[in-house]
Amino acid sequence: MNELYQPILVTSPEPHHAPQDVLTLSQFLDLLKEEEDYYPAEQHNTVLMITRLRKIFYDQWGWNSELIRARAHIETRYQVAVVNDPAEVDIPKSHAKPITRYRDNEYQPKHRVITYRADDRVYGNSRVGQVPDIYKNDHQEILLPDGYYCDVAHILAGLDAANFPQVVSPLPSFLSFLNFLIPHVDASIDMATWLGDIGSSSGDFLFKYLKNDSKPISKDEEQQSIELEAPGSDMLGNIETYVIARHYAVASANGQRVTEILRDYYEDQKEDAYRRNRFSIYCQAVGLAGWNGDHFANEAQWLHYYHKQLRNEVCFQVFSVTVENLKSLLLMTKIYFNGFQEVLKLDLLLRIYLDALKDLIKKEPSPQPV
């Protein structure tokens, strides 16, 4: 393999996800509607329901303590547990979600499991300990009507972050004036979506490099990392977040149901212009400007800015997934002071992502000025 590439529009599911386990948009929205129906007085509280639905899929400590602090207090329907092996709680691995962890540079994931509580308002204690259908078999990745795969949980996570913007920093808010001294990401929506996924690819490069006795890994191995850590379905979900946030009242306390928004966006012909021009709309939302049909006028400045943002994201990501405490701190510190540059390939990852976006904008039926 000569060149790395960043997938965005894909017609097959992410690695290790069997096609027969993937739901269609309609099937997934039916399950999501059941989750909305669980809260009969809150279904049209769009901003609240986005949080509740997001927490079905993403509710580990980092989301509450760092990414979306303002929503840490929102209660959820299900019991959440993080275990070493789902078999410990009699749950099949296909019904749990792996959480990346590295020990001695080896991938040793934990697993997030959600199950019905004993006091569920619909089922009582009849399903206690069982995993809801919406969480089984990685159901957050779905097949859209146009044949592309998309991770809807990434949309929910991004919209929640969009509704409660913050700087992502280990410091409490009252010490935010010191953020310039430490790793921080300016926009939580970036870190909750595309920047976080690209950072995961970069972090995986690092752990493969360390496992390989600090020797370079092959291009094929790097591409495998990209396709596993930032698959096209995730990246499309990330992009959809910015488009939906711009065109729907996602912060309303008395608006559309989340499932109505998603049906409108994906199925209503009136919204077709948003989908057809999703990539130019997204690029405008993340600060790219001056499109001339071939490139953006501010590409160099954009890449320079996001190099630092991505470096800082990788600091957080590597720190959070490294089991050994001292090692996690040392790795984070070295990355922050621009170590491992040839390994992390931050500029290359940003460039191939930008190139993929530009190629997709060129294919839009009526590219929008950005």
Side-chain angles (χ1 to χ4, degrees), residues 149-200:
Y149 285 78
C150 179
D151 191 310
V152 181
H154 279 235
I155 298 176
L156 297 171
L159 292 177
D160 208 16
N163 285 336
F164 299 93
Q166 62 168 82
V167 174
V168 182
S169 164
L171 294 178
S173 299
F174 70 89
L175 292 178
S176 60
F177 66 95
L178 295 176
N179 280 337
F180 73 96
L181 295 173
I182 58 172
H184 67 280
V185 174
D186 291 340
S188 54
I189 184 175
D190 290 344
M191 189 163 172
T193 57
W194 67 276
L195 194 72
D197 285 333
I198 293 176
S200 294

Side-chain angles (χ1 to χ4, degrees), residues 248 262-272 275:
Y248 290 88
L262 293 173
R263 287 192 193 279
D264 281 352
Y265 180 70
Y266 286 113
E267 296 179 350
D268 194 324
Q269 293 300 312
K270 293 183 299 182
E271 315 307 341
D272 189 52
R275 294 192 308 279

Side-chain angles (χ1 to χ4, degrees), residues 305-353:
Y305 171 76
Y306 272 111
H307 172 92
K308 293 182 179 179
Q309 295 291 294
L310 182 57
R311 178 201 64 190
N312 291 352
E313 195 288 330
V314 176
C315 286
F316 287 126
Q317 191 260 133
V318 169
F319 178 82
S320 68
V321 303
T322 305
V323 172
E324 302 95 334
N325 291 336
L326 178 58
K327 182 178 179 179
S328 66
L329 183 62
L330 291 174
L331 286 176
M332 180 185 71
T333 302
K334 186 170 182 178
I335 293 168
Y336 184 59
F337 287 103
N338 297 315
F340 298 116
Q341 289 194 55
E342 295 301 314
V343 178
L344 298 173
K345 300 190 175 180
L346 305 178
D347 290 329
L348 176 60
L349 287 170
L350 288 169
R351 170 55 68 182
I352 64 173
Y353 180 52

